[in-house]
Amino acid sequence: MKIEFSKEKHIFSITTENLAYYFSITNKGILKHLYFGEYIESIDDELISDIGFDWAKTYFDKNELKEKEYDDNFYHDRSFLEIGTHGLKDNRPSSFEIEVNGNNKVDFRYVNHRIYKGKPMLNGLPHFKGDEKDSLTLEITLKDVVKNIYLELSYTVIEGIDCVLRNSKIINKEKECKVERAMSLTLDLPSDQYNLISFPGDWSNERNINKDKISFGMKRISSKFGRSGHEQNPFMILEKSEDLIGFLPSYIGISFVYSGNFVEEVSVDKNKTTRVNIGINDEDFSFTLKENEEFVLPEALLVYSSSFDGLTQNIHDLIRDHLIDRNHLDTQDKILLNSWEACYMDFDTEKVIKYINEAKKLNVGLFVLDDGWFGTRNNDLCSLGDWYINEGKINLRKVVDECHKNNMKFGIWYEPEMINPDSDLFRKHPEFIVGDISKYDLGLSRHQLVLDFSNPVVVDNIFNQMCSLLDKYDVDYIKWDHNRCLYDAYSSYLGYENIGKFFHENIKGVYSLLARLKERYPNILFEGCASGGGRFDLGMLYYTPQIWTSDETDPVQRMFIQYSTSLIYPLCTMGSHISKNPITNYLTKGNVALFGTFGYEFDPLKINEEERKEVIISSENYLKHHKLIKNGDLYHLYSPFDTNFMCMEVVSKDKKEAIVLFTNLIKVRNTYRMLKLKGLDDNKLYRNSYNNKVLKGYLYKNVGINLTRWFDEFSSLLIYLEEVNDEN
Ligand code: DGJ
């Protein structure tokens, strides 16, 4: 990786092994984008910047009152830019709008730059981690041509990964300014020949794969729910596929490290070029800054590869090695039993202790007591906000001791951001809620309201309540749930004058609580959840290294959800459990759950002998293969969205072993079928557990494993390959 600045050409070059990013500073201090894509050693501005519209090259000089020409091949409204703003006579969707005395145009020009080892760490916002040994940053300071407002832009590269991380900070030196729009990333691309892949969905149907050819106009994908949401995911992929004539394939992954309201815009203009923006959703957003105050934007990332698998692997490496906390592997690697689908809220101490004892026989190493242990909660009508133990229902001390006595860890469920109107907390502090109850009826969802986490007093209250339990009990794991969207965005703490700050301050409040708890209880592993996978994003992953992927535990539906989720998020982050859902046998359920964090979501006392045997086989597979599955390179071989199969393969980084999950949907007969594998070393010998044959890697790649056979509905195969020294 390298970051360089050419003093003669005024060109910045940011390169990794397979990626190059070039932009220049014009004589007028404008940052002109030149190139992003496959590695090239150098670039010549002349080669690409001539856009041929002479009338877009001139401007009327305010001092001399005469027409003048931009130099450096700059064309307003047409040049490719690092920051596109209307103030710069660029009418494409802008990167920034910042208002001072009614004027919201900005036009940022270069002031200075520095290149340093390491990367910016954001205070109060989640971010990728990098240090002097593995990362390099270019930081550029710009200033608006009129306003006393500065912008600090930075570009970071990380050793071994084809990605560029982008950070920005607005620094206000005016008496007051209002940030109305602030994109974490703008990328101009000199083509409209892309497919946009996004991940829309719904509750229990998260992250479908949506692929559209982009065309004139704008595609805007956003969340306004106060969380990233089931409905969309803040991750998009631009695909320049082989079938789009005349281009080599290339894939660009774009996302940002944020869990609140976001927007992704992909727009194609009259010039048939594409602009991509990603950032905090500018609807319902405006952020007033007083003199000397700063606004730090969430971190954005650009990942590049010439293949889809390469893109996935780059993203996974980046998340695994630089985002998520891997200090709790002893807990993460345990097999988890969660009480939710076993008994919902219908439990007592005796029942839970029976679960723990039975779970031990199924290789469980972490027992999680889900919803229903606090306040007076036996259904979802009450008690959110009252985080004290329902002593009449559960003897937590006994439960925790029983776990530890059995060499099992103990986990517990919380939904810290929520409150039921029927709770002591609401009766005492009705002002803690989100929404203006003095003027409007409030929208309930699952009978609950949302706590106003933009108010530090509210965050303190929940922190203190949680601490009073966590200080006393030896808790190893917390499932952090969030079961509704935010509608009535209003905070009595911020008031209407600051209403535009609410969503951002609210999510920062969530991050602050997570950070404080993680600091005080460094041994606790947090798992995120939002009615399943409604907040599966890089922001939450920073604090909660695994997230419950979906409330849908039907293994066939999970084949889809986990396939698509794993295109962008690593398997080690994806909560996946075997449930009692009867659609397949326990072996298929087990195989699907293996390609994730693995655990159980059923009553261990209520499975029959055959089911028990199958669960034990899966648990043993997990114990044997989880390091490979969670840490290897993932290949997506068959998509259930396009074929009758779902097939994924994980190859260890040293290419010594691999594991393949092959499942089918409807029944298939003995049609000829060869399963070709990827990622193995061409010349190494591997024995496969399907037919016990020993073959060289290139044969698995070019010829494949013969799977010509009958497959019943929803059956599955797990094939393990191991390097061997000779053919016997
Ligand atoms: C929604 C989660 O996704 C479930 O797993 C469970 O924890 C319930 N909430 C509990 O209310």
Side-chain angles (χ1 to χ4, degrees), residues 431-578:
E431 77 283 6
F432 275 12
I433 58 161
V434 170
D436 184 356
I437 190 77
S438 71
K439 294 194 175 59
Y440 302 101
D441 294 335
L442 303 182
L444 282 170
S445 190
R446 208 194 187 201
H447 316 290
Q448 61 200 54
L449 296 168
V450 184
L451 283 169
D452 175 9
F453 267 40
S454 72
N455 180 352
V457 175
V458 177
V459 177
D460 281 348
N461 180 296
I462 299 299
F463 176 73
N464 291 333
Q465 286 201 56
M466 290 178 80
C467 290
S468 64
L469 186 146
L470 299 173
D471 282 350
K472 280 203 217 99
Y473 295 86
D474 207 356
V475 170
D476 304 291
Y477 161 110
I478 288 178
K479 178 171 170 188
W480 183 293
D481 211 340
H482 184 275
N483 282 305
R484 61 160 291 178
C485 315
L486 278 64
Y487 301 119
D488 301 287
Y490 171 78
S491 150
S492 56
Y493 169 72
L494 291 173
Y496 280 107
E497 62 282 16
N498 280 310
I499 193 79
K501 286 185 171 177
F502 168 71
F503 280 113
H504 185 59
E505 289 297 339
N506 190 65
I507 197 70
K508 277 175 59 190
V510 177
Y511 292 150
S512 77
L513 180 58
L514 277 157
R516 284 165 76 183
L517 289 168
K518 279 175 81 76
E519 196 187 344
R520 184 168 170 132
Y521 306 104
N523 295 328
I524 296 183
L525 164 70
F526 287 80
E527 172 153 353
C529 177
S531 308
R535 198 160 59 179
F536 207 126
D537 56 60
L538 299 174
M540 284 311 286
L541 279 177
Y542 177 81
Y543 302 96
T544 66
Q546 56 192 52
I547 295 178
W548 182 227
T549 313
S550 177
D551 271 351
E552 179 57 90
T553 54
D554 167 340
V556 178
Q557 299 305 312
R558 275 288 183 135
M559 290 177 198
F560 289 83
I561 297 170
Q562 292 182 196
Y563 181 92
S564 55
T565 303
S566 66
L567 290 172
I568 42 184
Y569 299 107
L571 296 177
C572 67
T573 65
M574 290 167 38
S576 60
H577 300 164
I578 302 177

Side-chain angles (χ1 to χ4, degrees), residues 213-254:
K213 171 146 177 21
I214 62 168
S215 57
F216 184 78
M218 168 159 3
K219 172 101 175 174
R220 190 181 151 97
I221 296 169
S222 66
S223 160
K224 284 185 283 183
F225 293 123
R227 63 182 183 189
S228 47
H230 294 91
E231 299 74 11
Q232 283 299 345
N233 195 270
F235 220 119
M236 60 179 153
I237 295 170
L238 284 177
E239 172 190 61
K240 202 180 249 189
S241 68
E242 276 161 300
D243 45 81
L244 294 168
I245 298 152
F247 292 102
L248 293 172
S250 73
Y251 296 84
I252 304 173
I254 301 160

Side-chain angles (χ1 to χ4, degrees), residues 203 338 340 345 370-371 377 413 415 446 479 481 483 529-532 548 550-551 601:
W203 173 73
N338 181 295
W340 182 243
M345 298 186 209
D370 207 283
D371 196 353
R377 190 151 164 110
W413 180 94
E415 194 176 1
R446 208 194 187 201
K479 178 171 170 188
D481 211 340
N483 282 305
C529 177
S531 308
W548 182 227
S550 177
D551 271 351
E601 195 88 17

Side-chain angles (χ1 to χ4, degrees), residues 4 9 23 41 50 66 81 126 129 133 155 162 181 185 266 277 290 407 414 422 453 469 484 526 550 585 623 632:
E4 286 171 335
K9 295 182 174 171
F23 59 96
E41 207 182 315
D50 184 0
K66 68 175 192 200
L81 300 169
K129 298 159 218 166
K133 282 182 242 102
Y155 300 72
D162 296 316
R181 183 173 154 98
L185 172 114
V266 178
N277 282 318
K290 300 265 178 268
N407 204 14
Y414 276 99
D422 182 3
F453 267 40
L469 186 146
R484 61 160 291 178
F526 287 80
S550 177
N585 60 26
L623 295 173

Side-chain angles (χ1 to χ4, degrees), residues 335-338 341-342 362 548 552-555 558 562 575-581 584-594 597-604 607 611-620 622:
I335 296 176
L336 177 161
L337 168 68
N338 181 295
E341 290 190 31
L362 301 174
W548 182 227
E552 179 57 90
T553 54
D554 167 340
R558 275 288 183 135
Q562 292 182 196
S576 60
H577 300 164
I578 302 177
S579 78
K580 61 191 171 217
N581 185 295
T584 74
N585 60 26
Y586 274 73
L587 273 185
T588 291
K589 292 196 247 188
N591 285 343
V592 173
L594 265 183
T597 60
F598 195 78
Y600 311 139
E601 195 88 17
F602 56 76
D603 180 340
I607 51 172
E611 293 167 344
R612 177 178 307 277
K613 272 190 202 141
E614 293 183 348
V615 169
I616 289 178
I617 293 176
S618 292
S619 70
E620 283 165 357
Y622 173 80

